[in-house]
Amino acid sequence: MKLLEVKNLKKRYKDKEVLKNISFDMDKTETIVVIGPSGTGKSTMLKCINRLVEPDGGQILLNGQDITKARRVEKLRQRIGMVFQEFNLFNHLTVLDNVRIGPWKVKKLSKEKATKLAMEILKNVGLDDRANAYPAELSGGQKQRVGIARALAMEPDLILFDEPTSALDPELVGEVLEVMRNLAEHGMTMLIVTHEMSFAKDIADRVIFMENGEIVEDGTPEKIFNAPEKERTHQFLAQFTNR
Amino acid sequence: MMGFFLNSMEVILRGAGVTVKLTVASLLLGAIIAIFVALAQVYGKWWINLIATTYERILRSIPILIIMFMVFFGLPTFGIRFDPFLAAIISLGLRSSAYQSQIYRGALLAVSEGQIMAARSVGMTGIQTFLHISFPQAARFSVAPLTNEFTIVLKDTSIAYAIGVTELLREGTYIVSTTYDPLLIYSMCAAVYFIMTFGTNKFVSLLEKGFAIPGYEVRGVERG
């Protein structure tokens, strides 16, 4: 069974069709990178998967269970992590509280267990020494690593990354990508929307090229980056290589 | 001269005690109603929002003296009678609830949409999101504007004079009516009001500094 299956996903905002029949699937431990021009529905697609945005049609199956029909959507979201472009850390909480609040208050782990788990994860992202800092005291790269740690603390089946490095200063991008690369190597299942092409080429098991709410092409990074079938994919990627 | 001053001060301070009671009781009554009004405006269905907004707009548009007269002189028409002290608390409380609701509403809306989304993404329910994320931040955002509201209510308790509450101003006026020294006595009243408002503001701002969280130094402005 596939970990995630998206079938004919549709979403419209008033007259604009943002997602038209999106279909793809993911295996456990797979890393898929979604690329494409801005405003083509990549972010909306991610948010439909954990129903932060309600899809208008189609099916999304997580371990065979239809997310779009789930009554208790909160239960489902516990199994799907999300990392945001703007970090969206809880500003009034310390780094440690940001990370442990999920397992502690949502999963109802004991405070000790949640703390222990959170500290381990913070160590993995290299921030155990900043556990008592507040988000405002962190650099962008550190904030995003906390964002990743917060998602990891729920021990999800899958993590969605919504342009995780787009709000960062160029010199801070590396540390965040490093953490993600590490996750991929440790078998985390990740669906990543990004504009970091060399990272995509590097880390992805598969690349999906999206435009105007449709999947134009879906394949291995070698195929998409070196020998794309569709002219549109070629044109899009040419913008990055010609710079 | 000194004896006269001390005697007057004693009477004025007795009035100040009543003023403080009026202020605190009105603010508390106002806060309780305001929380529901704010929740209705931020989270309520459109018709609940409409009721809350109508309530808030009407109370914010009527002079406090008219509200007081309606409560104290108007309501007995329906057989509802309050003593002046209680009528003053109800009037000031109702009016303050309208203003406080806007403080809480603004504070709730100042918590960024992104944080709410993040809370939902880790699986929090609406109630958990409110308790753990929205409320603690909104409470902090409310402190500064609440001290302002405190100052306004404290000063407006003097209007309770008009329905016969023996608060600070009325005690002062009693003294004036026997001593014929309005400038001195009213200056003493003014000084007491000043000390109460200034002292409280100072105290709250120290409190704020003591409990400050990095990133919250800019009052009510959400950052990064």
Side-chain angles (χ1 to χ4, degrees), chain A residues 8-212:
Chain A
N8 304 317
L9 179 62
K10 288 188 191 71
K11 177 70 193 175
R12 57 164 61 243
Y13 289 118
K14 292 195 177 138
D15 317 337
K16 190 166 159 42
E17 249 186 309
V18 190
L19 298 174
K20 314 164 188 168
N21 281 317
I22 298 280
S23 298
F24 67 95
D25 51 43
M26 281 182 90
D27 286 316
K28 204 163 164 34
T29 78
E30 206 174 11
T31 297
I32 295 186
V33 171
V34 183
I35 58 172
S38 301
T40 50
K42 304 185 297 290
S43 188
T44 306
M45 179 188 80
L46 285 191
K47 286 178 181 142
C48 282
I49 292 175
N50 65 359
R51 276 180 56 190
L52 286 177
V53 169
E54 286 296 334
D56 292 331
Q59 281 186 306
I60 301 168
L61 307 177
L62 183 73
N63 292 316
Q65 190 193 352
D66 193 345
I67 290 176
T68 55
K69 294 198 175 66
R71 281 237 204 90
R72 293 202 51 203
V73 67
E74 287 85 13
K75 268 271 180 268
L76 260 158
R77 290 198 186 117
Q78 295 181 29
R79 291 157 56 193
I80 307 174
M82 188 162 210
V83 174
F84 300 86
Q85 178 177 351
E86 301 292 343
F87 327 124
N88 297 343
L89 299 184
F90 307 131
N91 289 330
H92 62 305
L93 299 179
T94 61
V95 166
L96 175 61
D97 278 330
N98 263 279
V99 178
R100 77 176 165 191
I101 194 165
W104 180 19
K105 297 293 182 189
V106 178
K107 269 185 157 180
K108 309 287 185 195
L109 258 61
S110 70
K111 190 177 179 183
E112 291 71 34
K113 275 191 183 155
T115 308
K116 196 164 163 268
L117 175 69
M119 284 310 293
E120 263 167 45
I121 292 167
L122 281 173
K123 197 165 182 189
N124 290 341
V125 300
L127 285 172
D128 45 332
D129 56 331
R130 301 307 314 271
N132 294 316
Y134 284 93
E137 299 170 305
L138 303 178
S139 72
Q142 291 174 327
K143 281 183 192 166
Q144 194 56 296
R145 285 188 279 151
V146 176
I148 295 172
R150 176 175 64 188
L152 283 171
M154 294 299 287
E155 301 181 309
D157 296 336
L158 157 77
I159 300 185
L160 311 168
F161 290 83
D162 189 6
E163 300 199 29
T165 58
S166 296
L168 295 176
D169 292 334
E171 75 272 19
L172 300 175
V173 169
E175 62 187 74
V176 171
L177 296 184
E178 191 52 44
V179 168
M180 291 168 68
R181 200 184 306 266
N182 210 331
L183 287 179
E185 279 163 12
H186 284 82
M188 177 49 81
T189 314
M190 303 197 284
L191 183 58
I192 306 168
V193 171
T194 186
H195 294 291
E196 296 286 333
M197 292 304 156
S198 57
F199 174 72
K201 210 184 286 187
D202 228 36
I203 195 184
D205 297 311
R206 258 167 62 209
V207 175
I208 291 174
F209 173 60
M210 256 179 87
E211 187 168 47
N212 297 326

Side-chain angles (χ1 to χ4, degrees), chain B:
Chain B
M1 180 66 199
M2 203 58 205
F4 161 72
F5 182 81
L6 286 177
N7 285 341
S8 306
M9 208 56 195
E10 195 190 327
V11 175
I12 287 174
L13 286 180
R14 192 171 62 210
V18 176
T19 293
V20 168
K21 278 183 206 152
L22 275 178
T23 308
V24 172
S26 306
L27 282 170
L28 282 179
L29 174 66
I32 293 165
I33 302 171
I35 286 167
F36 288 104
V37 175
L39 289 176
Q41 287 186 325
V42 177
Y43 301 114
K45 293 206 167 62
W46 71 269
W47 59 272
I48 297 176
N49 186 332
L50 184 73
I51 294 170
T53 305
T54 309
Y55 168 86
E56 167 242 319
R57 289 290 147 78
I58 289 176
L59 275 164
R60 287 210 292 161
S61 314
I62 307 177
I64 180 64
L65 191 57
I66 296 184
I67 299 177
M68 239 177 239
F69 281 173
M70 283 171 78
V71 170
F72 187 64
F73 298 116
L75 287 183
T77 316
F78 307 106
I80 308 169
R81 236 170 267 278
F82 301 108
D83 67 57
F85 184 72
L86 203 56
I89 289 173
I90 291 169
S91 312
L92 288 163
L94 287 178
R95 207 258 319 238
S96 183
S97 77
Y99 282 94
Q100 284 188 57
S101 71
Q102 294 317 288
I103 294 175
Y104 304 138
R105 175 175 156 270
L108 282 170
L109 293 176
V111 178
S112 69
E113 194 72 23
Q115 290 185 65
I116 307 295
M117 224 195 286
R120 304 312 294 264
S121 83
V122 294
M124 285 192 196
T125 60
I127 291 170
Q128 285 173 328
T129 304
F130 179 78
L131 285 180
H132 299 306
I133 308 303
S134 308
F135 176 75
Q137 295 188 62
R140 283 190 175 83
F141 291 142
S142 304
V143 173
L146 273 180
T147 51
N148 196 32
E149 176 65 13
F150 166 85
T151 308
I152 292 169
V153 172
L154 178 82
K155 288 184 294 184
D156 281 358
T157 54
S158 62
I159 295 167
Y161 173 101
I163 55 172
V165 180
T166 322
E167 39 65 69
L168 176 51
L169 180 61
R170 183 169 285 267
E171 293 283 18
T173 306
Y174 285 156
I175 305 171
V176 171
S177 65
T178 54
T179 61
Y180 305 106
D181 196 350
L183 183 64
L184 174 68
I185 299 299
Y186 286 133
S187 298
M188 284 164 72
C189 291
V192 173
Y193 278 114
F194 176 79
I195 290 166
M196 286 195 286
T197 53
F198 185 78
T200 307
N201 285 346
K202 210 68 200 150
F203 174 71
V204 172
S205 86
L206 283 175
L207 211 63
E208 263 192 316
K209 277 198 188 116
F211 289 96
I213 283 180
Y216 282 82
E217 292 89 350
V218 180
R219 288 177 170 182
V221 179
E222 180 77 359
R223 296 144 101 214

